[in-house]
Amino acid sequence: MEKYICKTCGVQYSERNEGPNGCEICSEERQYVNPEGQTWTTHKELVQTERYKNIIREEEKGLYSITTTPKFGIGQTAYLVQKDDMNVLWDCITYLDQETVDVICALGGIDAIAISHPHYYSRMTDWAEAFDALVYLHQDDREWVMEESAYLHFWEGESMKLSENLSLQRLGGHFKGGAVLHMENGAEGLLMTGDIIQVVADHRWVSFMYSYPNLIPLPAAKVAEIAEKVEGLAFDRIYNAFHNVVNTKADDVVQKSAERYIRAINGTLFAT
């Protein structure tokens, strides 16, 4: 019996004798199946190749990025967020070796894991077991869980407090339960967005999509709703899932980006 991992998205499935017929995450229109066909691996195989390594880097006080090199799966970055004497792993990655466990333990371990949406579920149950930490997922995305565990905690509604200054906010959009992590710190607050809100190549802007690889946009009304939901949150910076950062006045960036997006969708951005 093995826990098979989809090589394209990095999501792990529950134990079975052989790889599933297909990856439910990748077969859906927000992701994609590799044009060369569905392929599987296991974490044992990944470790035995001695090819992969996690790079853990301090981004700023109380925030560390965790990225696998070379890229595996989607290639997202996870973050260790430290606030209120609590360590929260934001989003998750597939590769987890003993060196990574040791470094994170030296930083205080992990008290909770929170994930923005199903594309980053990866090996969340194994991370939870390694650090004895609950995983917080929005109930609206429960159907996309491919490996059940007692460590999984499904929250409901529009927001949930993890601590006095850390909260999860459901924005929807990319996925119905799509969430962001807000760290309150006065004018210096942070918003960890995965790609529910995506920092684009020009870091003065963000954008919003139903599917990023397949370039399916969100409707204007949903983007307006997302902008309205975050308008009441104080945050100066945004970190997305791919190490892209809005370094200042990020709350204003979201609002002006939503306005530009809506003008583009409605056909009023461009000269005719």
Side-chain angles (χ1 to χ4, degrees):
M1 299 282 281
E2 295 279 3
K3 292 183 177 183
Y4 286 91
I5 298 168
C6 173
K7 286 186 177 181
T8 302
C9 71
V11 170
Q12 179 172 273
Y13 284 65
S14 57
E15 283 188 329
R16 60 197 69 207
N17 290 321
E18 58 184 20
N21 291 330
C23 175
E24 293 186 37
I25 301 290
C26 290
S27 298
E28 201 264 347
E29 61 189 358
R30 281 166 286 197
Q31 184 50 16
Y32 63 95
V33 177
N34 189 313
E36 297 180 2
Q38 177 67 54
T39 53
W40 301 96
T41 187
T42 65
H43 194 255
K44 182 179 179 181
E45 289 179 354
L46 293 178
V47 172
Q48 286 179 340
T49 65
E50 298 184 348
R51 180 186 180 198
Y52 295 99
K53 178 181 177 63
N54 285 336
I55 305 299
I56 300 176
R57 186 174 78 184
E58 185 176 23
E59 300 294 331
E60 57 180 86
K61 183 179 179 181
L63 183 67
Y64 293 83
S65 61
I66 310 169
T67 309
T68 301
T69 184
K71 172 188 170 183
F72 179 78
I74 294 173
Q76 73 271 16
T77 291
Y79 293 89
L80 186 67
V81 182
Q82 300 175 318
K83 186 70 174 177
D84 301 333
D85 295 322
M86 186 178 192
N87 280 8
V88 177
L89 181 71
W90 171 246
D91 279 333
C92 199
I93 56 178
T94 303
Y95 192 71
L96 177 64
D97 59 8
Q98 190 58 49
E99 181 181 352
T100 302
V101 172
D102 291 343
V103 173
I104 292 176
C105 284
L107 293 171
I110 294 172
D111 301 303
I113 300 170
I115 301 181
S116 60
H117 70 288
H119 288 159
Y120 304 152
Y121 284 178
S122 60
R123 288 178 63 236
M124 59 185 176
T125 58
D126 288 351
W127 279 77
E129 291 171 6
F131 293 98
D132 193 26
L134 288 179
V135 182
Y136 292 87
L137 310 172
H138 199 278
Q139 175 67 28
D140 285 347
D141 290 337
R142 185 167 192 159
E143 66 181 291
W144 300 106
V145 171
M146 299 301 149
E147 184 183 7
E148 293 286 350
S149 169
Y151 282 99
L152 303 184
H153 175 84
F154 296 92
W155 61 282
E156 300 182 65
E158 299 305 301
S159 65
M160 194 198 78
K161 283 272 193 182
L162 293 174
S163 68
E164 181 180 358
N165 295 290
L166 291 173
S167 65
L168 301 174
Q169 307 287 332
R170 189 193 78 86
L171 303 184
H174 185 37
F175 271 79
K176 187 177 180 181
V180 297
L181 175 66
H182 179 228
M183 185 180 81
E184 295 184 49
N185 191 25
E188 294 298 310
L190 296 179
L191 202 64
M192 315 297 297
T193 63
D195 52 15
I196 303 304
I197 297 174
Q198 182 71 287
V199 181
V200 296
D202 181 345
H203 292 186
R204 298 171 300 171
W205 298 89
V206 298
S207 197
F208 319 82
M209 294 287 276
Y210 180 74
S211 169
Y212 289 96
N214 300 319
L215 301 179
I216 306 173
L218 286 171
K222 173 53 69 174
V223 172
E225 179 185 316
I226 290 172
E228 182 179 1
K229 284 184 175 182
V230 301
E231 192 171 15
L233 304 176
F235 57 95
D236 185 57
R237 298 176 306 291
I238 287 176
Y239 285 81
N240 82 341
F242 298 96
H243 240 125
N244 293 325
V245 184
V246 177
N247 282 310
T248 186
K249 297 182 180 179
D251 46 2
D252 291 337
V253 166
V254 173
Q255 298 305 317
K256 73 175 186 179
S257 296
E259 291 171 5
R260 182 175 76 166
Y261 182 103
I262 291 167
R263 292 201 311 273
I265 289 292
N266 290 339
T268 61
L269 179 63
F270 312 105
T272 57

